[in-house]
Amino acid sequence: MSKFWSPFVKDLVPYVPGEQPKLTKLVKLNTNENPYGPSPQAIAAMQAELNEDLRLYPDPNGDRLKQAVAAFYGVPTSQVFVGNGSDEVLAHAFHGLFQHGKSLLFPDISYSFYPVYCGLYGIQAEPIALDEQFQIRVEDYARPNGGIIFPNPNAPTGCLLALEAVERLLQANPDSVVLVDEAYIDFGGESAISLVSKYPNLLVTQTLSKSRSLAGLRVGLAVGHEDLIEALERIKNSFNSYPLDRIAIAGAAAAFEDRAYFEQTCAAVIGSRETVVAGLQALGFEVLPSAANFIFARHPGRDAAGIAATLREQGVIVRHFKQKRIAQFLRISIGSPEQNQALLDALATL
């Protein structure tokens, strides 16, 4: 703490990202990174941008990327927003679309950046408890609010809310923005983007960090009604007019254009997830149903923190959360077949 800090900074509780260890030869299954590399077309597109044009500013609107996203989802470019990672896109939504002075509703077990942004932007947070199976109950969100946000599939549980349930939630809340955070939707869910033209209060955010293997590029997006997108653009242009560089725009656009590679790697991750689930269940673990590139599991006879510590000693890193309700769960990213087998082998020794 410094005497130069404002009272605002002093009271902030920052987000704590997953560990990025510097050691090599680790089986890193703690931050939900894709085990497969980016699309070769995306790499080629980024390499092509390494020329003298880097002396020039990038397109502030990211039009090439917006066009690729719009073509992929069959929406007009006016309904697409792009930013520097989905966390930045979420930040703009918190700042510009949720009603200050009213409570923002989100699951009690959810992405831990949500309460951080509530603190940053002075929004009253109202966590809504998941049910005993760690599922979202749509009826719990039929109450006065200044906005609703939830990941789908949820994080860190991996549980999916069906599209018809998302629509029921929208119908029950026509006067506030409902933001569906679809960071993991491509691993087993149906995107709510199909509902955007029907519900002007719906905003869907996505990232290229997971299903398109570009976590190192920092690219996120939102799709929604033109009025919501205009609000995000107004905030972006009051904060940073050039959130995406020339390399990021080119690589992200090419990743969306290479549909075949995207579908191939998503299918590989889904197949590996089922293998890991079966392996964990054979070892006595309880595993929540997952539609993400990770699983959420606990062992009835072993302490989760102890399992995580022992795995680490064997060179396998998974994520353990200390939040009381989920303190006995581990979140385990789906890795390559070799990484997944290393995890199961290490657990078998316990």
Side-chain angles (χ1 to χ4, degrees):
M1 188 178 299
S2 167
K3 66 178 182 180
F4 301 111
W5 288 10
S6 72
F8 171 74
V9 172
K10 182 182 68 174
D11 293 336
L12 286 179
V13 181
Y15 172 74
V16 179
E19 180 187 5
Q20 294 289 348
K22 301 298 188 292
L23 301 175
T24 58
K25 296 183 179 180
L26 289 175
V27 177
K28 187 174 178 295
L29 303 176
N30 67 321
T31 50
N32 301 339
E33 292 147 327
N34 199 312
Y36 303 103
S39 157
Q41 292 183 28
I43 293 175
M46 290 185 282
Q47 290 173 334
E49 289 295 317
L50 297 175
N51 56 53
E52 291 186 356
D53 286 347
L54 287 178
R55 66 186 176 83
L56 304 173
Y57 283 108
D59 174 9
N61 295 320
D63 285 335
R64 178 181 172 186
L65 175 55
K66 287 182 179 180
Q67 290 164 4
V69 173
F72 188 90
Y73 285 112
V75 298
T77 56
S78 59
Q79 292 186 343
V80 179
F81 177 83
V82 295
N84 185 244
S86 62
D87 286 337
E88 180 183 87
V89 178
L90 289 171
H92 292 338
F94 269 74
H95 202 181
L97 297 177
F98 295 140
Q99 300 172 38
H100 297 220
K102 295 184 179 180
S103 296
L104 176 66
L105 311 183
F106 54 84
D108 65 334
I109 307 299
S110 191
Y111 186 29
S112 55
F113 229 134
Y114 300 160
V116 172
Y117 279 149
C118 284
L120 182 62
Y121 294 113
I123 298 172
Q124 181 177 337
E126 185 177 347
I128 305 296
L130 298 175
D131 68 16
E132 293 182 357
Q133 287 73 46
F134 296 94
Q135 302 284 340
I136 291 173
R137 289 179 296 229
V138 170
E139 57 271 22
D140 291 347
Y141 291 79
R143 64 178 74 187
N145 64 79
I148 296 171
I149 184 171
F150 60 94
N152 197 34
N154 196 12
T157 66
C159 297
L160 179 72
L161 187 66
L163 190 62
E164 61 85 16
V166 174
E167 187 163 18
R168 284 194 287 112
L169 193 150
L170 284 161
Q171 292 168 346
N173 293 275
D175 298 322
S176 56
V177 170
V178 175
L179 196 160
V180 185
D181 182 354
E182 292 187 344
Y184 303 100
I185 195 66
D186 298 319
F187 299 108
E190 186 177 358
S191 176
I193 289 176
S194 62
L195 302 176
V196 162
S197 61
K198 191 175 179 181
Y199 297 95
N201 62 325
L202 170 63
L203 187 73
V204 180
T205 60
Q206 293 189 0
T207 177
L208 277 75
S209 296
K210 313 301 182 182
S211 58
R212 288 180 172 81
S213 307
L214 288 170
L217 205 61
R218 312 310 306 131
V219 179
L221 62 97
V223 180
H225 188 276
E226 286 86 348
D227 291 346
L228 302 185
I229 299 302
E230 181 183 356
L232 300 180
E233 295 285 359
R234 288 170 65 88
I235 290 179
K236 184 266 287 187
N237 288 320
S238 302
F239 177 74
N240 177 12
S241 296
Y242 300 96
L244 293 177
D245 60 52
R246 301 174 73 93
I247 296 171
I249 292 171
F256 265 98
E257 292 161 357
D258 191 355
R259 187 185 292 262
Y261 184 84
F262 160 76
E263 293 176 349
Q264 173 190 337
T265 53
C266 284
V269 171
I270 292 169
S272 291
R273 182 182 68 212
E274 302 313 310
T275 299
V276 173
V277 169
L280 288 175
Q281 290 174 335
L283 292 170
F285 280 85
E286 301 171 0
V287 185
L288 295 187
S290 175
N293 69 335
F294 61 85
I295 55 178
F296 208 49
R298 63 184 170 188
H299 195 286
R302 296 295 297 268
D303 176 65
I307 295 175
T310 304
L311 284 175
R312 188 182 183 89
E313 293 173 358
Q314 299 187 50
V316 180
I317 302 178
V318 297
R319 189 84 185 263
H320 175 247
F321 296 88
K322 296 181 180 179
Q323 191 173 345
K324 183 177 180 180
R325 195 175 175 197
I326 56 173
Q328 290 306 317
F329 280 88
L330 297 173
R331 193 193 69 188
I332 304 170
S333 306
I334 301 302
S336 66
E338 295 78 17
Q339 290 175 317
N340 298 332
Q341 191 59 52
L343 164 75
L344 296 174
D345 290 345
L347 287 171
T349 66
L350 303 183

